[in-house]
Amino acid sequence: MIVLGIETSCDDTSLALYSRERGLLSHVTASQLVHEEYGGVVPEIASRQHMRTLLSVYDAALARANVGAGDLGGIGVSNGPGLVGSLLVGVGFAKSLALGLQKPVVGVHHIEAHVLANELGGEPLQCPCVVLVVSGGHTSLYRVERVGRYELVGNTRDDAAGEAFDKIAKLLGLGFPGGPAVQRAAEAGDAGAIEFPRAMFDRAGFDFSFSGLKTAVRQYVDARGELTPAMVANVAASAQAAIVDVLVERTIQCARAFGLRHVYLAGGVAANRPLRAKMQATAGAAGIAYHAPLLEFCTDNGAMVARTAELLLSFGRDDGSALDVFTRGAISSWS
Ligand code: KG4
Ligand code: ZN
């Protein structure tokens, strides 16, 4: 069965075709560069932009796979969490297509899709495992008993890790999205130059906090006024190290506490090279197997939605015209 996956939850219009037998058949993404000049995603502009690009991205996804609409066996769409206007564009399109083709349509939890992006490399998720979900809107630890059974065991109390990258980039005048910009600037810097805070909570649990780091970076920058390029590189490298240290330490602690032998990364920040390297090294030293999605499937993409939808559809699910969007909430278990 060929499944169409649709991702429009934020600022990427991304569609993909996937089948269990042949894997990914096509994957087309239109990123909205228009938000750069505002230094962040403007929801109203994002939904209108999705409306403009969705049909041509859909046509391109079919054409590249050399399949017609009649070949589709089902449709999956990210229906939350995300920006309500952006989600509505994708869900409206998915439902009308399903109705016209008389095919099933399923809503895909965007975060579950990020988790299952790990399977796009060809290997099934090794469970039980712990997954660190790090994106622009989420920083969470999930204990995954098996695909379909998720337990949220840690969460951020304030900013998400991606949000911290984005805000620090803005403070340093590095542009948007901030994660890749901070990573690039940090390459020329010294990660030990500035001792930024690493928020760790003594109490049981695996929560995160990044607002203190953001404040510390702001105070550092404000106190110095104009920063030289060398100082910018040092701030970027030191702030990135503070984020990475906390993410890695918490994840490994969590894996140890639950006796889990596999850790996974998921979400846009999983593309961060220092995070991948440190998680791999620390997990290795602890005798825990480390996994991460291929780089191209870390940030928002339709491929992860198509892969997740294929799984849900294979259990006979069809959400039909009742499918609605939601703006927040952890992954719920379905198996
Ligand atoms: O998963 P994603 O594409 O969208 C959400 O669901 O939020 O994640 C986007 C986030 C942004 O905050 C972006 O700055 C961050 O992922 N990001 C990175 C990197 N690439 C993207 N953060 C750190 N290093 C990167 N290389
Ligand atoms: Zn995402």
Side-chain angles (χ1 to χ4, degrees):
M1 175 170 63
I2 298 176
V3 175
L4 170 69
I6 303 171
E7 166 57 46
T8 65
S9 69
C10 191
D11 59 340
D12 293 302
T13 316
S14 183
L15 275 68
L17 295 176
Y18 177 91
S19 86
R20 183 164 296 197
E21 300 74 30
R22 293 161 61 199
L24 202 57
L25 307 180
S26 68
H27 184 209
V28 182
T29 301
S31 295
Q32 302 180 1
L33 304 174
V34 37
H35 304 286
E36 250 170 59
E37 62 180 291
Y38 302 98
V41 177
V42 183
E44 176 61 26
I45 295 177
S47 51
R48 278 196 250 161
Q49 196 67 23
H50 283 306
M51 298 223 294
R52 276 193 208 106
T53 48
L54 191 49
L55 264 180
S56 57
V57 175
Y58 167 71
D59 287 340
L62 289 184
R64 281 191 204 173
N66 202 20
V67 303
D71 300 322
L72 298 179
I75 298 150
V77 58
S78 277
N79 67 322
L83 303 172
V84 64
S86 292
L87 290 164
L88 279 168
V89 177
V91 168
F93 179 75
K95 287 203 291 191
S96 9
L97 196 61
L99 195 67
L101 297 173
Q102 293 290 297
K103 295 292 178 192
V105 59
V106 290
V108 170
H109 193 292
H110 180 79
I111 301 301
E112 183 173 20
H114 271 303
V115 172
L116 292 180
N118 277 288
E119 295 196 336
L120 288 167
E123 289 290 311
L125 210 67
Q126 311 270 317
C127 297
C129 62
V130 57
V131 184
L132 172 69
V133 178
V134 267
S135 70
H138 301 265
T139 296
S140 318
L141 282 165
Y142 280 94
R143 177 183 177 183
V144 181
E145 197 52 42
R146 58 179 179 274
V147 171
R149 180 143 300 266
Y150 310 95
E151 186 192 349
L152 181 67
V153 292
N155 221 336
T156 182
R157 297 185 183 183
D158 38 60
D159 295 349
E163 203 177 343
F165 270 108
D166 293 337
K167 286 177 177 170
I168 289 163
K170 207 168 183 173
L171 285 168
L172 296 175
L174 292 174
F176 178 85
V182 169
Q183 179 181 313
R184 216 172 306 118
E187 280 163 15
D190 171 8
I194 309 151
E195 190 62 34
F196 284 128
R198 285 146 171 80
M200 289 288 179
F201 302 103
D202 296 332
R203 283 196 286 129
F206 305 99
D207 282 352
F208 302 93
S209 166
F210 294 105
S211 67
L213 170 65
K214 179 188 64 190
T215 306
V217 173
R218 177 180 300 123
Q219 284 169 349
Y220 185 91
V221 171
D222 286 351
R224 277 154 191 84
E226 196 80 355
L227 296 188
T228 64
M231 286 161 88
V232 168
N234 281 345
V235 175
S238 302
Q240 175 176 257
I243 296 173
V244 167
D245 282 356
V246 172
L247 292 176
V248 171
E249 185 165 336
R250 269 278 179 262
T251 305
I252 300 300
Q253 254 176 10
C254 179
R256 279 212 172 107
F258 290 111
L260 302 171
R261 312 309 303 160
H262 295 274
V263 302
Y264 283 85
L265 297 180
V269 182
N272 185 264
R273 288 191 186 279
L275 172 62
R276 294 168 83 99
K278 181 147 194 172
M279 191 70 86
Q280 179 161 31
T282 312
I288 295 167
Y290 154 86
H291 316 263
L294 297 171
L295 276 181
E296 65 200 288
F297 302 127
C298 289
T299 47
D300 290 350
N301 65 85
M304 66 185 191
V305 179
R307 197 273 158 275
T308 309
E310 192 276 335
L311 190 68
L312 299 172
L313 290 162
S314 74
F315 287 97
R317 212 176 99 185
D318 181 5
D319 297 336
S321 56
L323 180 63
D324 205 353
V325 303
F326 61 96
T327 54
R328 54 186 65 242
I331 316 176
S332 36
S333 294
W334 50 265
S335 96

